[in-house]
Structures are given as C-alpha cells and as structure tokens.
Amino acid sequence: MKTKKKVIIIDDHLLFSQSLKYLINSFNDFIVVDNYENGKDFIDSVQANKIDTDEIELVLLDVNMPVLDGLKTMEWIKSNREDLKVIALSVNDDEETIIKMIKHGAKGYLLKDTSPQIFEEALKTVSDKGFFFTELVSGLLVNRLDNNNQKHELKDKEIVFIKHACTEKTYKEIADEMCLSPKTIDGYRENLFCKLEIKTRIGLVLYAIKNKIVCIE
C-alpha cells in the first residue's frame, strides 16, 4: 500500500479545519496527521519534540488566527524550520498580506473557497516542485514584488540557468543539462541571488516572469 505524505493543518476554525482534513484524507497522496488551533500550539509541539518535522511534507497555515497569527508563525518557521513547505490559507486576497507571507517563505497562498481540484493540485505541485501560485497571486507578485525595477545585465549562461530554474528540474539536473558541475551551478545560483537581491528559487522565478525571461501561459 502506498504511503501517504503527511500534512499538518494550523487553523483556529474547527469546522473548516475538520472539513479540510476530511477532504485531504480523501486524496490519494496525502493524509492529515495533526491539527493545531494557532501558531503557538504548533510551535510548542515542535519545541517539545512532539512533532518530527522531517516527516512532514506540508503545513497548511491559516493567516488570521488568535494567539499567534500566520505571519508570526511563518517568521518562526523560516528561522527555525526553513525546510518545511508551507501553504498559506486565507479568506482574504489582500495584496500586502499575500506578499508578506510569500516573502517570509510560504510556498503557496490559497483562498479558503478554492475548489477541491485546485486544492489537490496545489498540494501535489508544492510537494513535487516546491511552489504553487494561482493566477491571482502570480499577478499580484509579478506586479508588486520589489526586485528593484532596475535592469540587470545578465550573462547568456545566467539567462539559460534562470530558464532551467523556472522548470521542475533539480539543480543537479540543471547542471547535467548545461554540462556544468553542480558546484558551478551553485555558484550561478548564489551570484544571481546576490545580484538580483532575492533569497529563494521562487524569487528567481518571479523575477524571470516579471522581466519576460520566461512566459506563463
């Protein structure tokens, strides 16, 4: 029997949380293993070693919660459990909130009225590729994320690397594709992060979209 990927839900609305758990457990690839009513409960459990975060595939994080909200929780995760893949959940499509959550490391942002089909697609895409954004969120990010509106002079191989980075390929696969060593690819990545003043692959993808290095269909 196929092992399902483990998911944690952090949301103070019990009815929504339980409904979401039921929905996720109906998917072939995922199962909810824990629910928390706020960020503090989650962090306390992690610090008490009640959760092995290495075994957790995804965290679904409500933005608006009492005690410790989604943004503060996301900040803690970024500082202490950066490898956790987090999808933010909200009833609001407020630009500033979306951008803050993404800048603090969320790999996706879904409205709570998202259809079950898109929800499952989001879970699979974040699990497999690292990030998922709806057209709404992508549009906001491309227009608003501040990657310094100035043009940067990029070398031909840097542009090739960026195009590969916008696919689902791993850095090792990119190295093979470009006939370069993984160490050289790491150098391209770090140099671009520094040059473009970004910190993640998501930022690199958004820079590429904004500057029409790649196009989204």
Side-chain angles (χ1 to χ4, degrees):
M1 184 176 177
K2 184 178 179 180
T3 301
K4 291 191 173 187
K5 297 175 181 178
K6 296 178 180 180
V7 178
I8 285 176
I9 298 173
I10 308 174
D11 193 299
D12 65 308
H13 294 97
L14 183 60
L15 182 60
F16 175 81
S17 180
Q18 291 300 319
S19 299
L20 185 56
K21 177 180 178 179
Y22 181 81
L23 174 65
I24 293 171
N25 287 349
S26 73
F27 298 156
N28 291 327
D29 299 323
F30 300 94
I31 186 168
V32 175
V33 294
D34 279 302
N35 293 69
Y36 297 93
E37 292 187 11
N38 57 67
K40 184 178 184 303
D41 288 349
F42 167 73
I43 292 170
D44 287 347
S45 291
V46 173
Q47 293 177 330
N49 295 318
K50 294 180 180 179
I51 308 171
D52 184 354
T53 54
D54 290 338
E55 294 184 356
I56 302 303
E57 183 67 20
L58 295 169
V59 174
L60 304 179
L61 177 62
D62 186 19
V63 173
N64 300 304
M65 296 181 292
V67 186
L68 194 68
D69 65 17
L71 183 57
K72 291 283 197 306
T73 305
M74 194 67 245
E75 290 174 354
W76 185 90
I77 291 173
K78 184 177 181 180
S79 298
N80 297 275
R81 292 293 189 278
E82 192 175 14
D83 291 339
L84 277 177
K85 297 174 183 176
V86 179
I87 297 177
L89 304 174
S90 181
V91 296
N92 300 315
D93 58 358
D94 174 67
E95 291 183 16
E96 298 301 330
T97 301
I98 293 172
I99 290 171
K100 284 178 182 178
M101 290 298 290
I102 300 303
K103 280 187 173 181
H104 282 83
K107 307 301 183 185
Y109 191 104
L110 294 176
L111 297 179
K112 289 189 175 182
D113 62 356
T114 297
S115 71
Q117 293 80 10
I118 292 179
F119 205 95
E120 183 175 17
E121 180 189 353
L123 266 60
K124 287 181 177 178
T125 304
V126 171
S127 176
D128 295 340
K129 300 180 181 180
F131 57 91
F132 175 90
F133 298 115
T134 61
E135 290 183 10
L136 166 68
V137 175
S138 294
L140 291 176
L141 289 169
V142 169
N143 289 328
R144 293 291 309 279
L145 262 185
D146 183 17
N147 278 323
N148 293 333
N149 291 326
Q150 65 194 44
K151 292 289 183 180
H152 297 275
E153 288 190 17
L154 299 175
K155 299 175 182 177
D156 289 343
K157 284 202 171 182
E158 287 178 330
I159 293 174
V160 172
F161 169 77
I162 289 174
K163 289 180 177 179
H164 283 306
C166 293
T167 69
E168 60 190 85
K169 297 172 187 172
T170 65
Y171 287 123
K172 184 179 183 306
E173 289 170 338
I174 294 173
D176 292 340
E177 190 79 22
M178 294 181 66
C179 299
L180 297 169
S181 70
K183 187 174 181 180
T184 300
I185 289 299
D186 287 344
Y188 277 133
R189 182 188 65 228
E190 296 307 317
N191 286 338
L192 283 167
F193 281 4
C194 181
K195 182 186 290 187
L196 305 178
E197 297 185 23
I198 56 178
K199 296 180 180 179
T200 66
R201 188 167 179 171
I202 297 171
L204 194 61
V205 171
L206 294 172
Y207 174 87
I209 295 170
K210 182 176 181 180
N211 291 278
K212 299 182 180 179
I213 294 173
V214 297
C215 296
I216 45 178
E217 298 178 355

